[in-house]
Amino acid sequence: MNSLISSDNIWVLWTFLVVWSAISILLEQKFRWASKVTGAIIALLGAIIFANLKIIPTESIVYDSVWTYVVPVAIPLLLLKADIKKVKNESGKMLGAFHVSAFGTVVGTFISAFLLSSLVPYVAEIAGMMTGSYIGGGANFVAMTNAFKTLENLTNATIVADNLVMAVYFFATMSIPSILFFKNKWGMSTEGEVSESGSSTYWTKKEISLKDIAMSLAIAFLVASLSNALSEVISGIIPTSNMLLKMANSIFGNMYLIMTTLMLIIATVFSKQLEEINGAEEIGTFLIYLFFVVLGVPASISEIVKNGAFILVFCVLAVFIHLFITLIIGKMFKFKLDELLLASNACIGGPTTAVAMAIAKGWHSLIVPTMIAGVWGYVLGNYAGIIVGNILQVII
């Protein structure tokens, strides 16, 4: 497909990714409407619009570089302070709400896969991808796409469907707290706490040194590189002669599972030293914004018409079941509405969109617990996605 910017115009495409990511962040921090939508969704939707207007190409080695190198570096940066003891001690009830929401995702993808197994090709693989994506967000979608290696047209159709559903979902979860029925039935843990502060309050200036940047990137690159090497070694050792061994190969040889596990160990063992490093979260988040732009680029609306109508139904059904279970089971365990909606948002969109929601709604006491729970989703989602996908490959 011809576009105004050609696929081999490397400098201009990199400029587009960086500039549009920066604009998305700027809009989120300056305008109230943008903070409600979240910068991540602005980045994603903008890319869809530019691609469908044929301003930018839908394929390029620039996008491949983001998937192959940028995201594997971003994940260790975001996990740099994911000390497992901190996750347990500081997340409060948020971690419990997150696990309820993650359970809702697993149930939702299983039910959707069984109901649509005759209508959606490679439904087991898509269910695995969406399980990972809906327990930790877009970064996990990359890991699952690489793990299950579905056909490109199906992957693109799934991206479009996922993006459309996420956009509607985020608007819905931002609106639910304003509905009296939900507020009265579930209650709010942040009652009376609401303020007008925007995302700029959270992403405030902080002291950062050249050493902080150097150490953050050095650790991230080392972990990503080592994980890639270990993935190749383990995948070569474990045979794939039967379904059980194939599942073990897929789980233990997955680069992203190795990466998240390795980084979790490092963050816990060296928590005191890593706590002194500033800037890793900011750098990692900006790199994920680049990914959000790239995620929307191949989302051709024509693809969903040709290949993804039932994939869209799959995503809608999975997210609806996820939210229903989150609210119902969450109420049984006496979680409040704001806690459950943030946990759900952290599952579906990851910590970036969930924190943006907490900031936009003025739920400041839940910002840090939400970030911690969302980062935990990077770990939990990858494991859940691989396991769900492999189980469904056997039973469907």
Side-chain angles (χ1 to χ4, degrees), residues 20 46 63 78 96 125 152 174 188 203 225 237 266-267 275 303 306 312 326 345-346 348 351 356 381-382 391 393 395:
W20 183 245
Y63 310 149
L78 292 169
E125 290 79 1
E152 185 178 354
M174 292 293 288
M188 302 285 285
W203 297 109
S225 181
I237 293 174
I266 293 171
E275 194 63 38
E303 286 285 353
K306 290 187 293 184
L312 178 62
T326 297
N345 197 311
I348 302 297
N382 284 337
I391 290 175
Q393 284 176 333
I395 63 179

PDB file of all heavy atoms in Angstrom, residues 20 46 63 78 96 125 152 174 188 203 225 237 266-267 275 303 306 312 326 345-346 348 351 356 381-382 391 393 395:
ATOM      1  N   TRP A  20       5.148  11.918  17.738  1.00  0.00           N
ATOM      2  CA  TRP A  20       3.749  11.645  18.087  1.00  0.00           C
ATOM      3  C   TRP A  20       3.633  11.132  19.527  1.00  0.00           C
ATOM      4  O   TRP A  20       2.672  11.456  20.231  1.00  0.00           O
ATOM      5  CB  TRP A  20       3.108  10.669  17.106  1.00  0.00           C
ATOM      6  CG  TRP A  20       1.660  10.439  17.393  1.00  0.00           C
ATOM      7  CD1 TRP A  20       1.056   9.283  17.780  1.00  0.00           C
ATOM      8  CD2 TRP A  20       0.610  11.422  17.372  1.00  0.00           C
ATOM      9  NE1 TRP A  20      -0.284   9.476  17.995  1.00  0.00           N
ATOM     10  CE2 TRP A  20      -0.583  10.775  17.752  1.00  0.00           C
ATOM     11  CE3 TRP A  20       0.578  12.784  17.057  1.00  0.00           C
ATOM     12  CZ2 TRP A  20      -1.803  11.454  17.823  1.00  0.00           C
ATOM     13  CZ3 TRP A  20      -0.633  13.460  17.133  1.00  0.00           C
ATOM     14  CH2 TRP A  20      -1.797  12.788  17.513  1.00  0.00           C
ATOM     15  N   GLY A  46      -4.053   7.795  17.209  1.00  0.00           N
ATOM     16  CA  GLY A  46      -3.434   8.671  16.222  1.00  0.00           C
ATOM     17  C   GLY A  46      -2.733   7.873  15.144  1.00  0.00           C
ATOM     18  O   GLY A  46      -2.827   8.186  13.947  1.00  0.00           O
ATOM     19  N   TYR A  63       9.286  -0.164  12.471  1.00  0.00           N
ATOM     20  CA  TYR A  63       8.327  -0.779  13.392  1.00  0.00           C
ATOM     21  C   TYR A  63       8.888  -2.099  13.932  1.00  0.00           C
ATOM     22  O   TYR A  63       8.728  -2.417  15.115  1.00  0.00           O
ATOM     23  CB  TYR A  63       6.990  -1.032  12.707  1.00  0.00           C
ATOM     24  CG  TYR A  63       6.415   0.154  11.965  1.00  0.00           C
ATOM     25  CD1 TYR A  63       5.634  -0.029  10.821  1.00  0.00           C
ATOM     26  CD2 TYR A  63       6.645   1.462  12.389  1.00  0.00           C
ATOM     27  CE1 TYR A  63       5.097   1.046  10.135  1.00  0.00           C
ATOM     28  CE2 TYR A  63       6.117   2.542  11.709  1.00  0.00           C
ATOM     29  CZ  TYR A  63       5.349   2.329  10.573  1.00  0.00           C
ATOM     30  OH  TYR A  63       4.827   3.390   9.885  1.00  0.00           O
ATOM     31  N   LEU A  78      10.882  -0.895  33.288  1.00  0.00           N
ATOM     32  CA  LEU A  78       9.652  -0.767  34.057  1.00  0.00           C
ATOM     33  C   LEU A  78       9.639  -1.694  35.277  1.00  0.00           C
ATOM     34  O   LEU A  78       8.928  -1.444  36.246  1.00  0.00           O
ATOM     35  CB  LEU A  78       8.444  -1.068  33.158  1.00  0.00           C
ATOM     36  CG  LEU A  78       8.188  -0.040  32.048  1.00  0.00           C
ATOM     37  CD1 LEU A  78       7.155  -0.574  31.055  1.00  0.00           C
ATOM     38  CD2 LEU A  78       7.727   1.286  32.628  1.00  0.00           C
ATOM     39  N   GLY A  96      -4.848  -7.638  45.526  1.00  0.00           N
ATOM     40  CA  GLY A  96      -5.947  -8.592  45.593  1.00  0.00           C
ATOM     41  C   GLY A  96      -6.989  -8.326  44.521  1.00  0.00           C
ATOM     42  O   GLY A  96      -7.459  -9.246  43.839  1.00  0.00           O
ATOM     43  N   GLU A 125      -4.440 -19.682  19.905  1.00  0.00           N
ATOM     44  CA  GLU A 125      -3.328 -18.737  19.901  1.00  0.00           C
ATOM     45  C   GLU A 125      -3.800 -17.314  20.203  1.00  0.00           C
ATOM     46  O   GLU A 125      -3.163 -16.575  20.971  1.00  0.00           O
ATOM     47  CB  GLU A 125      -2.610 -18.766  18.550  1.00  0.00           C
ATOM     48  CG  GLU A 125      -1.824 -20.046  18.272  1.00  0.00           C
ATOM     49  CD  GLU A 125      -2.698 -21.207  17.808  1.00  0.00           C
ATOM     50  OE1 GLU A 125      -3.936 -21.019  17.687  1.00  0.00           O
ATOM     51  OE2 GLU A 125      -2.156 -22.301  17.572  1.00  0.00           O
ATOM     52  N   GLU A 152       0.326 -12.983   9.964  1.00  0.00           N
ATOM     53  CA  GLU A 152       0.385 -11.529  10.079  1.00  0.00           C
ATOM     54  C   GLU A 152      -0.983 -10.876   9.907  1.00  0.00           C
ATOM     55  O   GLU A 152      -1.320  -9.930  10.619  1.00  0.00           O
ATOM     56  CB  GLU A 152       1.363 -10.958   9.042  1.00  0.00           C
ATOM     57  CG  GLU A 152       1.570  -9.462   9.196  1.00  0.00           C
ATOM     58  CD  GLU A 152       2.584  -8.908   8.209  1.00  0.00           C
ATOM     59  OE1 GLU A 152       3.204  -9.716   7.486  1.00  0.00           O
ATOM     60  OE2 GLU A 152       2.750  -7.675   8.166  1.00  0.00           O
ATOM     61  N   MET A 174     -13.956   5.018  32.692  1.00  0.00           N
ATOM     62  CA  MET A 174     -13.868   6.394  33.190  1.00  0.00           C
ATOM     63  C   MET A 174     -15.247   6.940  33.553  1.00  0.00           C
ATOM     64  O   MET A 174     -15.374   7.809  34.422  1.00  0.00           O
ATOM     65  CB  MET A 174     -13.218   7.294  32.136  1.00  0.00           C
ATOM     66  CG  MET A 174     -11.752   7.017  31.867  1.00  0.00           C
ATOM     67  SD  MET A 174     -10.648   7.400  33.244  1.00  0.00           S
ATOM     68  CE  MET A 174     -10.672   9.190  33.214  1.00  0.00           C
ATOM     69  N   MET A 188     -16.718   3.771  47.395  1.00  0.00           N
ATOM     70  CA  MET A 188     -15.441   4.291  46.907  1.00  0.00           C
ATOM     71  C   MET A 188     -14.447   4.379  48.064  1.00  0.00           C
ATOM     72  O   MET A 188     -14.751   4.943  49.115  1.00  0.00           O
ATOM     73  CB  MET A 188     -15.633   5.688  46.302  1.00  0.00           C
ATOM     74  CG  MET A 188     -16.631   5.750  45.145  1.00  0.00           C
ATOM     75  SD  MET A 188     -15.980   5.075  43.616  1.00  0.00           S
ATOM     76  CE  MET A 188     -14.875   6.404  43.129  1.00  0.00           C
ATOM     77  N   TRP A 203       3.858  12.656  37.002  1.00  0.00           N
ATOM     78  CA  TRP A 203       5.116  12.638  36.257  1.00  0.00           C
ATOM     79  C   TRP A 203       5.854  13.968  36.465  1.00  0.00           C
ATOM     80  O   TRP A 203       6.200  14.660  35.520  1.00  0.00           O
ATOM     81  CB  TRP A 203       4.870  12.388  34.773  1.00  0.00           C
ATOM     82  CG  TRP A 203       4.260  11.042  34.482  1.00  0.00           C
ATOM     83  CD1 TRP A 203       3.003  10.778  34.077  1.00  0.00           C
ATOM     84  CD2 TRP A 203       4.927   9.779  34.594  1.00  0.00           C
ATOM     85  NE1 TRP A 203       2.818   9.430  33.925  1.00  0.00           N
ATOM     86  CE2 TRP A 203       3.979   8.791  34.237  1.00  0.00           C
ATOM     87  CE3 TRP A 203       6.221   9.388  34.961  1.00  0.00           C
ATOM     88  CZ2 TRP A 203       4.298   7.440  34.231  1.00  0.00           C
ATOM     89  CZ3 TRP A 203       6.528   8.033  34.960  1.00  0.00           C
ATOM     90  CH2 TRP A 203       5.577   7.078  34.588  1.00  0.00           C
ATOM     91  N   SER A 225      19.443  -8.822  26.655  1.00  0.00           N
ATOM     92  CA  SER A 225      20.389  -9.631  25.884  1.00  0.00           C
ATOM     93  C   SER A 225      20.554 -11.028  26.476  1.00  0.00           C
ATOM     94  O   SER A 225      20.541 -12.032  25.758  1.00  0.00           O
ATOM     95  CB  SER A 225      21.749  -8.920  25.845  1.00  0.00           C
ATOM     96  OG  SER A 225      22.680  -9.653  25.093  1.00  0.00           O
ATOM     97  N   ILE A 237      17.295 -26.950  23.901  1.00  0.00           N
ATOM     98  CA  ILE A 237      17.467 -28.114  24.777  1.00  0.00           C
ATOM     99  C   ILE A 237      16.185 -28.924  24.901  1.00  0.00           C
ATOM    100  O   ILE A 237      16.195 -30.156  24.817  1.00  0.00           O
ATOM    101  CB  ILE A 237      17.948 -27.666  26.178  1.00  0.00           C
ATOM    102  CG1 ILE A 237      19.362 -27.088  26.099  1.00  0.00           C
ATOM    103  CG2 ILE A 237      17.897 -28.825  27.175  1.00  0.00           C
ATOM    104  CD1 ILE A 237      19.863 -26.492  27.399  1.00  0.00           C
ATOM    105  N   ILE A 266      16.382  -9.907  40.148  1.00  0.00           N
ATOM    106  CA  ILE A 266      17.363  -8.833  40.316  1.00  0.00           C
ATOM    107  C   ILE A 266      16.781  -7.688  41.148  1.00  0.00           C
ATOM    108  O   ILE A 266      17.435  -7.157  42.054  1.00  0.00           O
ATOM    109  CB  ILE A 266      17.824  -8.309  38.940  1.00  0.00           C
ATOM    110  CG1 ILE A 266      18.629  -9.389  38.212  1.00  0.00           C
ATOM    111  CG2 ILE A 266      18.647  -7.028  39.088  1.00  0.00           C
ATOM    112  CD1 ILE A 266      18.951  -9.051  36.775  1.00  0.00           C
ATOM    113  N   ALA A 267      15.524  -7.305  40.837  1.00  0.00           N
ATOM    114  CA  ALA A 267      14.880  -6.193  41.543  1.00  0.00           C
ATOM    115  C   ALA A 267      14.672  -6.501  43.019  1.00  0.00           C
ATOM    116  O   ALA A 267      14.684  -5.595  43.856  1.00  0.00           O
ATOM    117  CB  ALA A 267      13.545  -5.865  40.882  1.00  0.00           C
ATOM    118  N   GLU A 275      16.908   1.050  44.214  1.00  0.00           N
ATOM    119  CA  GLU A 275      16.019   2.099  44.715  1.00  0.00           C
ATOM    120  C   GLU A 275      16.661   3.475  44.562  1.00  0.00           C
ATOM    121  O   GLU A 275      15.965   4.493  44.471  1.00  0.00           O
ATOM    122  CB  GLU A 275      15.688   1.831  46.186  1.00  0.00           C
ATOM    123  CG  GLU A 275      14.532   2.650  46.721  1.00  0.00           C
ATOM    124  CD  GLU A 275      13.207   2.366  46.039  1.00  0.00           C
ATOM    125  OE1 GLU A 275      12.952   1.188  45.721  1.00  0.00           O
ATOM    126  OE2 GLU A 275      12.447   3.330  45.821  1.00  0.00           O
ATOM    127  N   GLU A 303      -8.683  -4.535   7.307  1.00  0.00           N
ATOM    128  CA  GLU A 303      -8.278  -5.843   7.802  1.00  0.00           C
ATOM    129  C   GLU A 303      -9.355  -6.472   8.683  1.00  0.00           C
ATOM    130  O   GLU A 303      -9.606  -7.665   8.619  1.00  0.00           O
ATOM    131  CB  GLU A 303      -6.973  -5.726   8.607  1.00  0.00           C
ATOM    132  CG  GLU A 303      -5.738  -5.517   7.772  1.00  0.00           C
ATOM    133  CD  GLU A 303      -5.294  -6.774   7.064  1.00  0.00           C
ATOM    134  OE1 GLU A 303      -5.865  -7.850   7.330  1.00  0.00           O
ATOM    135  OE2 GLU A 303      -4.395  -6.677   6.216  1.00  0.00           O
ATOM    136  N   LYS A 306     -12.137  -7.780   6.556  1.00  0.00           N
ATOM    137  CA  LYS A 306     -11.801  -9.003   5.819  1.00  0.00           C
ATOM    138  C   LYS A 306     -11.511 -10.185   6.743  1.00  0.00           C
ATOM    139  O   LYS A 306     -11.905 -11.309   6.463  1.00  0.00           O
ATOM    140  CB  LYS A 306     -10.569  -8.747   4.935  1.00  0.00           C
ATOM    141  CG  LYS A 306     -10.815  -7.825   3.759  1.00  0.00           C
ATOM    142  CD  LYS A 306      -9.614  -7.761   2.837  1.00  0.00           C
ATOM    143  CE  LYS A 306      -8.430  -7.088   3.511  1.00  0.00           C
ATOM    144  NZ  LYS A 306      -7.277  -6.933   2.574  1.00  0.00           N
ATOM    145  N   LEU A 312     -13.155  -9.341  16.635  1.00  0.00           N
ATOM    146  CA  LEU A 312     -13.720  -8.205  17.368  1.00  0.00           C
ATOM    147  C   LEU A 312     -14.758  -8.690  18.374  1.00  0.00           C
ATOM    148  O   LEU A 312     -14.769  -8.247  19.527  1.00  0.00           O
ATOM    149  CB  LEU A 312     -14.348  -7.212  16.393  1.00  0.00           C
ATOM    150  CG  LEU A 312     -15.033  -5.992  17.015  1.00  0.00           C
ATOM    151  CD1 LEU A 312     -14.029  -5.144  17.795  1.00  0.00           C
ATOM    152  CD2 LEU A 312     -15.710  -5.143  15.939  1.00  0.00           C
ATOM    153  N   THR A 326     -14.918  -9.136  37.451  1.00  0.00           N
ATOM    154  CA  THR A 326     -14.174  -8.233  38.321  1.00  0.00           C
ATOM    155  C   THR A 326     -15.110  -7.547  39.315  1.00  0.00           C
ATOM    156  O   THR A 326     -14.829  -7.498  40.529  1.00  0.00           O
ATOM    157  CB  THR A 326     -13.434  -7.166  37.489  1.00  0.00           C
ATOM    158  OG1 THR A 326     -12.472  -7.797  36.654  1.00  0.00           O
ATOM    159  CG2 THR A 326     -12.727  -6.160  38.401  1.00  0.00           C
ATOM    160  N   ASN A 345      -8.406  -1.821  34.744  1.00  0.00           N
ATOM    161  CA  ASN A 345      -7.668  -1.002  33.772  1.00  0.00           C
ATOM    162  C   ASN A 345      -6.210  -1.454  33.694  1.00  0.00           C
ATOM    163  O   ASN A 345      -5.627  -1.514  32.599  1.00  0.00           O
ATOM    164  CB  ASN A 345      -7.749   0.469  34.177  1.00  0.00           C
ATOM    165  CG  ASN A 345      -7.376   1.411  33.053  1.00  0.00           C
ATOM    166  OD1 ASN A 345      -6.350   1.253  32.406  1.00  0.00           O
ATOM    167  ND2 ASN A 345      -8.203   2.413  32.828  1.00  0.00           N
ATOM    168  N   ALA A 346      -5.612  -1.777  34.838  1.00  0.00           N
ATOM    169  CA  ALA A 346      -4.226  -2.252  34.850  1.00  0.00           C
ATOM    170  C   ALA A 346      -4.088  -3.568  34.111  1.00  0.00           C
ATOM    171  O   ALA A 346      -3.064  -3.829  33.471  1.00  0.00           O
ATOM    172  CB  ALA A 346      -3.739  -2.398  36.292  1.00  0.00           C
ATOM    173  N   ILE A 348      -6.216  -4.649  31.543  1.00  0.00           N
ATOM    174  CA  ILE A 348      -6.508  -4.457  30.120  1.00  0.00           C
ATOM    175  C   ILE A 348      -5.472  -3.573  29.438  1.00  0.00           C
ATOM    176  O   ILE A 348      -5.020  -3.873  28.333  1.00  0.00           O
ATOM    177  CB  ILE A 348      -7.911  -3.850  29.929  1.00  0.00           C
ATOM    178  CG1 ILE A 348      -8.988  -4.752  30.556  1.00  0.00           C
ATOM    179  CG2 ILE A 348      -8.201  -3.630  28.439  1.00  0.00           C
ATOM    180  CD1 ILE A 348      -9.099  -6.128  29.939  1.00  0.00           C
ATOM    181  N   PRO A 351      -0.041  -0.784  33.473  1.00  0.00           N
ATOM    182  CA  PRO A 351       0.119   0.255  34.502  1.00  0.00           C
ATOM    183  C   PRO A 351       0.064   1.671  33.944  1.00  0.00           C
ATOM    184  O   PRO A 351      -0.370   2.589  34.639  1.00  0.00           O
ATOM    185  CB  PRO A 351       1.498  -0.049  35.107  1.00  0.00           C
ATOM    186  CG  PRO A 351       2.206  -0.856  34.076  1.00  0.00           C
ATOM    187  CD  PRO A 351       1.149  -1.649  33.385  1.00  0.00           C
ATOM    188  N   ALA A 356      -2.681   6.562  34.642  1.00  0.00           N
ATOM    189  CA  ALA A 356      -3.259   7.751  34.010  1.00  0.00           C
ATOM    190  C   ALA A 356      -4.707   7.948  34.456  1.00  0.00           C
ATOM    191  O   ALA A 356      -5.148   9.076  34.702  1.00  0.00           O
ATOM    192  CB  ALA A 356      -3.191   7.626  32.497  1.00  0.00           C
ATOM    193  N   GLY A 381       0.866 -11.755  33.505  1.00  0.00           N
ATOM    194  CA  GLY A 381       0.203 -11.856  32.207  1.00  0.00           C
ATOM    195  C   GLY A 381       0.946 -12.731  31.229  1.00  0.00           C
ATOM    196  O   GLY A 381       0.331 -13.507  30.475  1.00  0.00           O
ATOM    197  N   ASN A 382       2.272 -12.641  31.214  1.00  0.00           N
ATOM    198  CA  ASN A 382       3.050 -13.460  30.298  1.00  0.00           C
ATOM    199  C   ASN A 382       2.907 -14.949  30.615  1.00  0.00           C
ATOM    200  O   ASN A 382       2.722 -15.773  29.720  1.00  0.00           O
ATOM    201  CB  ASN A 382       4.521 -13.053  30.350  1.00  0.00           C
ATOM    202  CG  ASN A 382       4.788 -11.763  29.604  1.00  0.00           C
ATOM    203  OD1 ASN A 382       4.028 -11.377  28.717  1.00  0.00           O
ATOM    204  ND2 ASN A 382       5.855 -11.076  29.960  1.00  0.00           N
ATOM    205  N   ILE A 391      -2.875 -24.639  26.717  1.00  0.00           N
ATOM    206  CA  ILE A 391      -3.962 -25.524  27.151  1.00  0.00           C
ATOM    207  C   ILE A 391      -5.050 -25.578  26.087  1.00  0.00           C
ATOM    208  O   ILE A 391      -5.546 -26.662  25.734  1.00  0.00           O
ATOM    209  CB  ILE A 391      -4.541 -25.053  28.500  1.00  0.00           C
ATOM    210  CG1 ILE A 391      -3.533 -25.297  29.622  1.00  0.00           C
ATOM    211  CG2 ILE A 391      -5.858 -25.787  28.802  1.00  0.00           C
ATOM    212  CD1 ILE A 391      -3.964 -24.748  30.971  1.00  0.00           C
ATOM    213  N   GLN A 393      -4.761 -25.034  22.924  1.00  0.00           N
ATOM    214  CA  GLN A 393      -4.270 -25.745  21.743  1.00  0.00           C
ATOM    215  C   GLN A 393      -4.506 -27.243  21.871  1.00  0.00           C
ATOM    216  O   GLN A 393      -4.722 -27.934  20.871  1.00  0.00           O
ATOM    217  CB  GLN A 393      -2.771 -25.473  21.539  1.00  0.00           C
ATOM    218  CG  GLN A 393      -2.478 -24.086  20.953  1.00  0.00           C
ATOM    219  CD  GLN A 393      -0.978 -23.835  20.852  1.00  0.00           C
ATOM    220  OE1 GLN A 393      -0.174 -24.389  21.595  1.00  0.00           O
ATOM    221  NE2 GLN A 393      -0.593 -22.967  19.930  1.00  0.00           N
ATOM    222  N   ILE A 395      -7.011 -28.728  23.970  1.00  0.00           N
ATOM    223  CA  ILE A 395      -8.398 -29.141  24.201  1.00  0.00           C
ATOM    224  C   ILE A 395      -9.397 -28.642  23.151  1.00  0.00           C
ATOM    225  O   ILE A 395     -10.541 -29.084  23.127  1.00  0.00           O
ATOM    226  CB  ILE A 395      -8.871 -28.703  25.607  1.00  0.00           C
ATOM    227  CG1 ILE A 395      -8.868 -27.176  25.749  1.00  0.00           C
ATOM    228  CG2 ILE A 395      -8.002 -29.329  26.668  1.00  0.00           C
ATOM    229  CD1 ILE A 395      -9.356 -26.693  27.105  1.00  0.00           C
TER     230      ILE A 395
END
